[in-house]
Amino acid sequence: MRLTEQQVRSLYGQDVQDRSGAKIGSVGQVWADPSGEATWVSVKTGVMGHHESMAPLDAARMQQDGRLQVQYDKATVRSAPSVETGTNQPLSTEQLAQLYRHYQIGEQAGPPPKQKQQAGGPEMVRSEERLRVGTESEPAGAARLSKRVVTENVQTSVPVEHDEVTVVHEPILDADRANVRAGIGEEQREMELRAEHPVVAKEQVPVERVRLNKDEIVEEQPVNAQVRRELVDADVPERARRNR
């Protein structure tokens, strides 16, 4: 992916997405080859402390909103060789070899071409501050499951049976009197009666499983900061000034 100088400047601090669109982190720094073409970026993932994972710009593309999408998955970028945050050192041959092996891309043949130096008069280096926005993981509390015992009233009903007694008077007919013994005197007979009553018993049974699930949520949080940049003014006599 060939980028203009303006596009390279706009990369700093932009979100970096993997090939599925998931956010990996944000752009920390940009490296260019000796011809001045941007070839590598470091990605601040927020999980490696003071180190930033390296990602190639080959086959990467910029979204309309300025985000950078690389053609690798999130795990591959986060596990890539890293550099220290804020370093201004060029990538060494050993570092490049590690990156080529990690991303399984062919190494460049021969030494890279040197950057051409333009001959001329005195020059001045103009510097500016660039905002590097990243994330850092920190404890945000703990989620716990606690189990306690409460007592509640349960009201229900159960059918119960009991015996009821009725007195039945049955006259003896003339035809049956010969078979019935008559006698006058005191006598007592008993009949056993039964009645049911509710009985309550308790048993412990499992009813459900309760667990905690954790999801990683990515949201945008605005960051405001001030950066400084230098301006270079040229004081050239009018006679020696070239009109462009």
Side-chain angles (χ1 to χ4, degrees):
M1 178 182 68
R2 300 189 65 89
L3 299 175
T4 65
E5 183 178 354
Q6 183 178 0
Q7 288 176 320
V8 172
R9 292 176 181 272
S10 67
L11 279 178
Y12 290 89
Q14 289 290 349
D15 288 347
V16 180
Q17 299 175 330
D18 69 0
R19 59 190 176 194
S20 66
K23 180 180 177 181
I24 305 174
S26 59
V27 175
Q29 303 166 86
V30 181
W31 278 261
D33 62 11
S35 66
E37 181 180 351
T39 54
W40 295 90
V41 294
S42 63
V43 183
K44 303 176 70 173
T45 62
V47 297
M48 298 186 65
H50 299 290
H51 288 78
E52 301 170 3
S53 300
M54 297 294 295
L57 286 175
D58 182 34
R61 60 191 183 92
M62 292 188 65
Q63 308 284 13
Q64 292 183 352
D65 57 1
R67 298 183 182 184
L68 179 68
Q69 185 175 33
V70 296
Q71 298 306 307
Y72 299 91
D73 57 40
K74 186 176 184 178
T76 300
V77 177
R78 286 195 168 187
S79 61
S82 61
V83 296
E84 292 186 2
T85 299
T87 182
N88 57 0
Q89 297 298 320
L91 298 176
S92 65
T93 303
E94 182 181 354
Q95 286 176 308
L96 288 173
Q98 293 176 352
L99 289 170
Y100 291 141
R101 286 195 298 269
H102 179 79
Y103 286 104
Q104 299 180 356
I105 54 180
E107 298 188 21
Q108 295 177 349
K114 295 183 178 180
Q115 191 170 9
K116 293 182 179 179
Q117 299 293 331
Q118 192 173 28
E123 63 179 28
M124 181 180 295
V125 176
R126 186 181 67 85
S127 303
E128 65 182 19
E129 292 180 338
R130 292 175 178 173
L131 194 64
R132 292 195 178 106
V133 180
T135 59
E136 182 177 354
S137 180
E138 64 179 9
R144 299 181 180 86
L145 284 177
S146 301
K147 186 169 68 171
R148 55 193 176 91
V149 178
V150 297
T151 302
E152 60 181 7
N153 293 327
V154 178
Q155 186 173 3
T156 185
S157 61
V158 59
V160 294
E161 296 180 357
H162 68 275
D163 295 335
E164 290 186 353
V165 177
T166 58
V167 180
V168 180
H169 296 271
E170 183 180 351
I172 300 175
L173 303 178
D174 293 338
D176 297 329
R177 285 195 178 99
N179 299 324
V180 179
R181 180 182 175 182
I184 297 176
E186 294 182 359
E187 188 177 1
Q188 185 175 347
R189 301 286 178 90
E190 289 184 358
M191 175 187 294
E192 182 178 333
L193 303 177
R194 300 186 65 83
E196 294 179 341
H197 65 275
V199 177
V200 177
K202 300 177 182 179
E203 62 175 345
Q204 297 180 359
V205 294
V207 293
E208 67 176 351
R209 288 187 175 90
V210 181
R211 64 176 179 270
L212 295 175
N213 287 336
K214 183 173 70 171
D215 296 323
E216 182 179 314
I217 306 299
V218 178
E219 60 183 7
E220 298 293 333
Q221 184 172 346
V223 177
N224 294 321
Q226 291 183 339
V227 295
R228 298 176 303 166
R229 63 189 182 94
E230 297 175 336
L231 298 178
V232 177
D233 296 325
D235 187 5
V236 181
E238 183 68 27
R239 181 177 299 178
R241 184 177 301 170
R242 178 182 298 177
N243 295 325
R244 293 186 177 180

